[in-house]
């Protein structure tokens, strides 16, 4: 059964018609940023190798922007305490890829699939992460919690010479630097805030 409902968002109230569920996520804005880890390495997506990893990037490589300039799709939420719901996509050559999580052999894997991020998400989705401040004293760094498994965050893991993007479990009071990420505008000398 569908009911009309009101969504309270900060100082504004939005009326949501019955066609959308009350827990539907609607895209509010899209920002373009690079993601950096605690070592200032950039997240680079390589769909041909089916990998996303944090890498040291030269200025010349950064100018090409291939696989490293992310669109961060911000959605309106009915539960602001959970964090800001976001989805990530990246352009590689002439194709768009979105980040999602899938279970493989009992383990959650971060994947990038060809396609576009939807404007509206009617319920739970494997592409949504909650953006949270990394710590209360570190407001310019963030961690991203997977919306479908609380306590699982985007992080990096050393795998040979790679710092591969993964989902990692975080216990309640733990601070894990592998989950610390900053969002920078494409130019290195611009503001780091989202």
């Amino acid at each position: 059964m569908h009911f009309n409902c009101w969504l309270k968002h900060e100082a504004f109230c939005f009326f949501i018609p019955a066609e959308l569920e009350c827990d539907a996520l609607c895209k509010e804005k899209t920002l373009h940023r690079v993601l950096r880890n605690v070592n200032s390495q950039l997240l680079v997506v390589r769909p041909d190798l089916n990998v996303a990893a944090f890498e040291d990037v030269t200025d010349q490589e950064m100018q090409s922007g291939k696989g490293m300039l992310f669109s961060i799709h911000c959605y309106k939420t009915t539960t602001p305490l959970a964090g800001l719901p976001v989805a990530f996509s990246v352009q590689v050559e002439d194709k768009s890829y979105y980040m999602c999580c899938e279970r493989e052999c009992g383990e959650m894997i971060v994947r990038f699939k060809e396609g576009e991020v939807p404007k509206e998400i009617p319920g739970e989705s494997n592409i949504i992460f909650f953006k949270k401040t990394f710590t209360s004293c570190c407001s310019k760094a963030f961690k991203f919690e997977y919306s479908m498994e609380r306590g699982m965050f985007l992080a990096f893991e050393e795998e040979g010479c790679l710092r591969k993007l993964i989902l990692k479990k975080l216990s309640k009071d733990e601070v894990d630097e592998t989950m610390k990420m900053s969002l920078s505008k494409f130019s290195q000398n611009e503001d780091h805030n989202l």
Side-chain angles (χ1 to χ4, degrees):
M1 183 179 245
H2 295 283
F3 295 99
N4 291 328
C5 67
W6 286 93
L7 168 62
K8 194 172 184 180
H9 180 68
E10 295 174 17
F12 303 101
C13 290
F14 299 97
F15 182 72
I16 298 179
E19 299 84 55
L20 291 178
E21 294 293 327
C22 291
D23 61 351
L25 295 173
C26 300
K27 196 185 307 183
E28 188 171 40
K29 63 183 172 182
T30 302
L31 303 167
H32 302 284
R33 301 289 188 267
V34 292
L35 278 75
R36 294 182 185 276
N37 67 7
V38 69
N39 302 323
S40 291
Q41 295 171 311
L42 264 58
L43 182 60
V44 180
V45 176
R46 302 192 188 283
D48 53 331
L49 303 173
N50 200 20
V51 71
F54 289 94
E55 301 179 10
D56 292 313
V57 176
T58 66
D59 288 342
Q60 187 177 3
E61 289 171 319
M62 192 166 173
Q63 290 309 313
S64 77
K66 289 183 182 170
M68 57 189 90
L69 180 59
F70 285 82
S71 294
I72 302 171
H73 309 271
C74 304
Y75 290 81
K76 293 176 187 168
T77 180
T78 56
T79 56
L81 292 177
L84 177 67
V86 298
F88 299 92
S89 66
V90 65
Q91 196 81 16
V92 180
E93 293 171 10
D94 60 344
K95 295 179 181 174
S96 185
Y97 296 85
Y98 63 90
M99 184 191 300
C100 64
C101 296
E102 296 178 334
R103 188 164 298 282
E104 186 178 286
C105 301
E107 187 179 333
M108 290 304 295
I109 305 292
V110 179
R111 296 247 188 262
F112 283 84
K113 293 190 169 186
E114 190 175 340
E116 299 294 329
V117 170
K119 284 185 171 58
E120 295 173 1
I121 298 173
E124 289 187 339
S125 172
N126 70 341
I127 69 166
I128 294 294
F129 296 84
F130 292 116
K131 177 181 157 269
K132 300 174 178 231
T133 304
F134 183 68
T135 62
S136 58
C137 62
C138 194
S139 63
K140 291 192 175 196
F142 305 97
K143 57 187 175 186
F144 295 92
E145 184 176 26
Y146 182 44
S147 66
M148 292 182 69
E149 280 199 41
R150 294 302 167 111
M152 295 291 285
F153 290 84
L154 290 176
F156 69 85
E157 174 180 75
E158 302 270 347
E159 191 177 283
C161 61
L162 284 178
R163 287 193 167 94
K164 192 174 173 184
L165 184 66
I166 62 163
L167 268 184
K168 187 176 185 182
K169 185 81 171 160
L170 180 70
S171 59
K172 194 168 179 107
D173 297 324
E174 185 182 3
V175 175
D176 186 336
E177 292 281 315
T178 66
M179 298 176 184
K180 184 177 184 177
M181 294 184 202
S182 62
L183 304 168
S184 307
K185 291 187 178 178
F186 196 57
S187 169
Q188 283 187 302
N189 48 5
E190 292 187 60
D191 187 12
H192 285 76
N193 290 329
L194 175 63

